[in-house]
């Protein structure tokens, strides 16, 4: 399509008066990054008018701006018009873009505009030229008849001259430097000297996360992948989230994918990019900007044009590490940026890691979620066997104990690579591994405080601060509590000093002249609880921040514990794997019950009871506003969970959680009067509208494509599906019971309400037992307050 046709068709819909030269310039502005805008000043108004009329070719201006085009910018420009405009544009451009619709008009027009500029510039991006498969030959024998004669099929070109114009990937130097960086790792055992990656790594299995807490449409058959590669993951989905608890090895897993894929990049033409999401800030403009700046850390010669060209040619695999490490204030904008990015550059594989997140990734509709599995016993033993440890006898003894008993008795620790390493260190020091998590971390800290390095074993040594390990931990615990509250996981020296200065203010450490920098030296060089990359400092693992935060919170005076409870109740971005409160409860259970649980229950139960006979329904609407009834086979399971963190914690710790029994309730037939979602089984390939564009003739569909099926809600069935395959059978249904509706129309839903008011109904039973627990806790506290005795016998 010629530019004049493109601009004139656009003009017929969105110009709204105005001169042709100003309109033409505005269209160029809409697709350029900020860096390219100044180029447009080089052209006069008459030039833009000539571009519009087709009297002047856009070849020269296209050559100048080609490095600065960004289709996402143009998509956002089109989406800025009223919704009706997209419909009109899809009609006007239907002959040029057969698959254009009002929903995808912005992205399709952006792609068309990019192709017009690229073709006019006469400079197709060379990244589109895939390298040919390697030819194995030498000057004497020609083509090698047997590849096994050569070392792993290495390319032999003895006496053969290289083509001086042979294409060289713009990512060549990036891969060389990034591979060099990631091929060695510093770990807890090797804090002073990095070790080769594969000498301390065992690949976890990953399992498709079939069941989600929310209703996101993602219902492929359950599958487990061993010895994962990018190719194996891509066979399941182009967009994947690898979810796992802290220390299970998510970053190491992504590093493995990067290193293994980099080895084949030269021949596959696919380039993996390892991108750390903790660097995604509120100052980041968009995903392309983030990718470009991340890659430039390893090769400053790479341009945005190289990035955009590779994205347009679907040549990149984006390995995004640590979604949960994006600051909560930025997380929403990242999700919007990522969604817009996928629309503009679909087809590039994205694999993202994260701890479990509260909303279970409901906003990532295109992503399949895989759990990174805990280490099996064989994998745990293999990992320990690989590690170079300073005490071989202790290592051998630990492996025997792990094989015989410890793996099963301490599964939570032994199946987690980080905690397993700490287990080895603790076992070598104490000859045992504590079962409680907070005791485990306490012993681990004691071990690390007396650890020199892997060659010298354990002995007591002074810290830069000249504090004892016990004194040091008190200050560090407050530092961790402050940074935990602020969701800070990384520091430069200035921000570290700012936090630590607040901790030291007015203390004996400050009067002794101990500076924040002394703590930083101890944490990185002696204790190895933190490490440095460039000018940034990180916790060796965030679980240490959680443990020490729990230590500080548990040491606070009693009256302040209530405020600490309010803080945990109000946390906006909570990871399911966060164990801070759990460890704090284990440390001081009686105080937690008295100063956190009791005030909380007093507040909510008094509020419920004010509603008289509606007390129970007030509780339901507050804690369980939606209950789901499922029948037959559906693709998602909806787990019933209270809205309040403290309430959920109370019923968990005190064994009062009855919500899991909700699936066994025999509901009255009136349940079917509520809004119902039907589920159907469909061919997986045709679960999305876009799939039908690839198969315009149903007669040409290979039967093998129809082997794989999946479940989706009936309302999400593509409109073409019935025409191709007939109406699919219903497999099950889901009914949402909304408490607000049951209260508003009490008489209409009297049968359902009667069922839910039965004494044995799970949530009625739970509420009554929570009230009874509150009553006994209140009586116990009043008795203690009234007694003058040291012991309440």
């Amino acid at each position: 399509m010629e530019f004049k046709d493109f601009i004139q068709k656009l003009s017929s819909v969105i110009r709204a008066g105005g001169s042709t030269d100003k309109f033409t310039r505005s269209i160029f502005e809409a697709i350029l990054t900020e860096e390219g805008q100044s180029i447009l000043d080089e052209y006069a108004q008459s030039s833009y008018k000539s571009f519009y009329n087709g009297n002047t070719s856009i070849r020269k201006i296209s050559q100048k701006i080609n490095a600065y085009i960004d289709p996402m910018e143009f998509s956002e420009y089109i989406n800025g018009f009223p919704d009706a405009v997209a419909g009109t544009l899809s009609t006007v451009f239907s002959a040029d873009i057969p698959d254009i619709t009002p929903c995808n008009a912005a992205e399709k027009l952006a792609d068309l505009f990019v192709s017009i500029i690229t073709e006019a510039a006469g400079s197709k991006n060379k990244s589109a030229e895939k390298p040919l498969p390697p030819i194995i030959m030498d000057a004497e024998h020609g083509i090698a008849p047997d590849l096994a004669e050569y070392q792993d099929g290495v390319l032999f070109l003895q006496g053969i001259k290289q083509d001086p114009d042979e294409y060289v990937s713009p990512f060549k130097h990036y891969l060389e430097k990034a591979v060099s960086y990631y091929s060695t790792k510093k770990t807890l055992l090797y804090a002073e000297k990095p070790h080769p990656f594969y000498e301390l790594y065992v690949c976890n299995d990953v399992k498709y996360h079939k069941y989600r807490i929310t209703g996101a449409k993602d219902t492929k058959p359950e599958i487990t992948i061993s010895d994962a590669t990018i190719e194996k993951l891509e066979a399941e989905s182009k967009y994947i989230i690898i979810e796992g608890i802290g220390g299970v090895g998510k970053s190491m897993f992504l590093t493995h994918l990067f290193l293994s894929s980099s080895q084949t990049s030269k021949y596959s033409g696919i380039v993996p990019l390892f991108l750390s999401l903790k660097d995604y800030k509120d100052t980041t403009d968009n995903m392309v900007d983030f990718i470009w700046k991340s890659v430039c850390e390893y090769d400053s010669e790479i341009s945005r044009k190289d990035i955009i060209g590779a994205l347009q040619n679907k040549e990149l695999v984006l390995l995004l590490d640590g979604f949960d490490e994006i600051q909560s204030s930025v997380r929403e904008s990242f999700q919007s940026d990522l969604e817009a990015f996928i629309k503009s550059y679909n087809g590039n594989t994205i694999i993202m890691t994260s701890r479990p997140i509260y909303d279970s990734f409901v906003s990532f509709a295109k992503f399949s979620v895989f759990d990174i599995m805990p280490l099996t016993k064989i994998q745990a033993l293999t990992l320990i066997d690989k590690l170079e440890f300073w005490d071989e006898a202790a290592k051998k003894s630990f492996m025997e104990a792990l094989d015989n008993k410890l793996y099963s008795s301490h599964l939570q620790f032994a199946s987690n690579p980080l905690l397993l390493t700490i287990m080895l260190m603790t076992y070598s020091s104490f000859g045992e591994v504590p079962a409680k998590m907070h005791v485990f971390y306490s012993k681990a800290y004691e071990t690390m405080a007396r650890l020199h390095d892997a060659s010298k074993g354990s002995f007591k040594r002074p810290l830069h601060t000249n504090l004892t390990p016990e004194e040091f931990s008190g200050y560090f615990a407050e530092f961790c509590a402050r940074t935990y509250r602020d969701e800070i996981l990384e520091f430069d020296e200035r921000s570290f000093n700012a936090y630590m200065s607040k901790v030291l203010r007015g203390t004996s450490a400050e009067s002794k002249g101990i500076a924040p920098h002394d703590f930083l030296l101890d944490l990185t060089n002696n204790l190895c609880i933190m490490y440095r990359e460039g000018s940034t400092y990180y916790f060796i693992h965030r679980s240490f921040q959680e443990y020490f935060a729990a230590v500080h919170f548990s040491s606070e005076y009693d009256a302040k514990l209530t405020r600490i409870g309010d803080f945990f109740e109000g946390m906006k971005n909570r990871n399911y794997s966060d164990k801070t409160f759990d460890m704090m409860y284990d440390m001081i259970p009686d105080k937690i019950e008295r100063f956190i649980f009791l005030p909380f229950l007093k507040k909510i139960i008094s509020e419920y009871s004010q509603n008289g006979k509606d007390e129970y329904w007030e509780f339901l609407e507050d804690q369980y506003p939606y209950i789901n009834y499922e029948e037959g086979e559906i693709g998602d399971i909806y787990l019933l969970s209270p809205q309040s963190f403290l309430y959920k914690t109370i019923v968990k710790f005190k064994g009062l959680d009855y919500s899991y029994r909700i699936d066994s309730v025999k509901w009255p037939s009136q349940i079917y009067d509520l809004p119902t979602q039907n589920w159907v089984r469909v061919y997986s390939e045709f679960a999305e509208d876009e799939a039908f564009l690839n198969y315009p003739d149903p007669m040409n569909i290979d039967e093998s494509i129809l082997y794989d099926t999946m479940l989706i809600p009936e309302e999400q069935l593509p409109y073409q599906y019935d025409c191709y395959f007939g109406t699919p059978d219903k497999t099950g249904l889901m009914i949402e019971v909304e408490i607000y509706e049951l209260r508003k129309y009490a008489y209409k839903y009297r049968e359902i309400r009667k069922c839910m008011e039965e004494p044995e109904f799970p949530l009625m039973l739970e509420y009554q037992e929570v009230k009874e627990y509150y009553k006994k806790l209140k009586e116990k506290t009043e008795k203690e307050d009234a007694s003058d005795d040291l012991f309440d016998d």
Side-chain angles (χ1 to χ4, degrees), residues 358 569 574 576 600 623-624 640-654 657 766:
Y358 182 76
E569 175 69 9
R574 189 187 314 280
Y576 280 118
F600 170 75
Q623 296 298 336
Y624 298 102
L640 189 59
S641 182
Q643 297 291 298
S644 162
F645 169 78
L646 286 180
Y647 179 86
K648 179 164 54 179
T649 303
I650 290 168
V651 297
K652 178 180 73 172
F653 287 164
K654 307 311 295 184
D657 183 6
E766 178 179 294

Side-chain angles (χ1 to χ4, degrees), residues 86-141:
T88 307
L89 286 170
S90 63
T91 302
V92 170
F93 282 90
S94 59
D96 308 288
I97 313 173
D99 58 341
I100 193 171
T101 68
C103 295
N104 66 16
E107 290 75 32
K108 293 294 181 181
L109 289 171
D111 291 342
L112 177 59
F113 195 8
V114 169
S115 66
I116 290 170
I117 293 173
T118 305
E119 289 174 11
S123 56
K124 292 273 188 182
N125 196 307
K126 284 192 173 184
S127 58
E129 303 170 23
K130 305 283 187 183
L132 295 173
I135 301 174
I136 300 183
M137 60 170 62
D138 61 35
E140 182 178 353
H141 300 101

Side-chain angles (χ1 to χ4, degrees), residues 189-379:
L189 289 179
Y190 312 122
E192 285 86 2
K193 180 182 178 183
H195 267 53
F197 177 80
Y198 284 105
E199 288 185 12
L200 46 86
Y201 178 70
V202 172
C203 187
N204 306 62
D205 297 339
V206 291
K207 185 177 184 180
Y208 177 68
H209 193 126
K210 186 175 182 180
Y211 299 123
R212 311 276 285 281
I213 289 177
T214 63
K217 186 183 78 174
D218 194 357
T219 53
K220 299 178 180 63
E222 202 162 79
I223 184 175
T224 298
I225 299 175
S226 300
D227 300 317
T229 62
I230 286 175
E231 291 72 23
K232 288 182 180 180
L233 291 169
E234 282 180 325
E236 303 305 321
S237 175
K238 277 284 188 181
Y239 307 110
I240 287 177
I241 292 172
I242 303 292
E243 181 183 77
I245 63 172
V248 77
K250 299 181 295 296
S251 294
M252 296 285 275
F253 179 80
L254 218 60
T255 301
H256 158 65
L257 294 181
F258 173 73
L259 293 175
S260 59
S261 180
S262 296
Q263 293 176 349
T264 60
S265 178
K266 180 178 180 181
Y267 306 120
S268 67
I270 301 301
V271 179
L273 304 181
F274 194 106
L275 310 169
S276 181
L277 288 177
K278 64 178 180 288
D279 297 327
Y280 205 97
K281 308 295 184 184
D282 53 4
T283 54
T284 303
D285 291 335
N286 51 51
M287 279 297 296
V288 172
D289 179 63
F290 171 68
I291 295 168
W292 177 48
K293 289 179 179 177
S294 298
V295 171
C296 281
E297 290 183 7
Y298 296 92
D299 183 5
S300 60
E301 297 299 315
I302 289 180
S303 66
R304 284 179 62 98
K305 177 182 176 181
D306 293 327
I307 301 292
I308 292 173
L311 289 169
Q312 290 170 345
N313 292 318
K314 300 176 174 56
E315 294 176 343
L316 297 184
V317 173
L318 305 182
L319 303 172
L320 307 179
D321 188 33
F323 170 70
D324 58 296
E325 294 186 14
I326 300 176
Q327 285 190 329
S328 58
S329 59
V330 185
R331 210 171 280 167
E332 186 174 339
S333 64
F334 166 77
Q335 292 173 208
S336 300
D337 290 347
L338 184 61
E339 183 178 357
F341 173 81
I342 290 174
K343 287 180 179 178
S344 296
Y345 301 106
N346 62 76
N348 295 279
T349 298
I350 300 176
I351 301 174
M352 179 167 65
T353 64
S354 178
R355 279 189 174 196
I357 298 295
Y358 182 76
D359 62 6
S360 193
F361 309 110
V362 65
S363 57
F364 294 98
K366 285 185 173 291
F367 283 75
S368 297
V369 180
F370 279 76
D371 290 322
I372 186 165
M373 302 303 291
L375 295 176
T376 64
K377 182 195 283 190
I378 292 175
Q379 290 171 336

Side-chain angles (χ1 to χ4, degrees), residues 692-720:
F692 292 89
L693 299 174
N694 301 323
Y695 302 94
D697 185 356
M699 302 303 294
N700 292 334
I701 298 175
D702 193 293
E703 189 174 340
S704 63
I705 296 174
L706 307 181
Y707 291 159
D708 188 20
T709 63
M710 64 186 294
L711 295 171
I712 65 171
E714 187 177 38
E715 69 266 20
Q716 294 178 1
L717 189 70
Y719 73 91
Q720 309 100 313

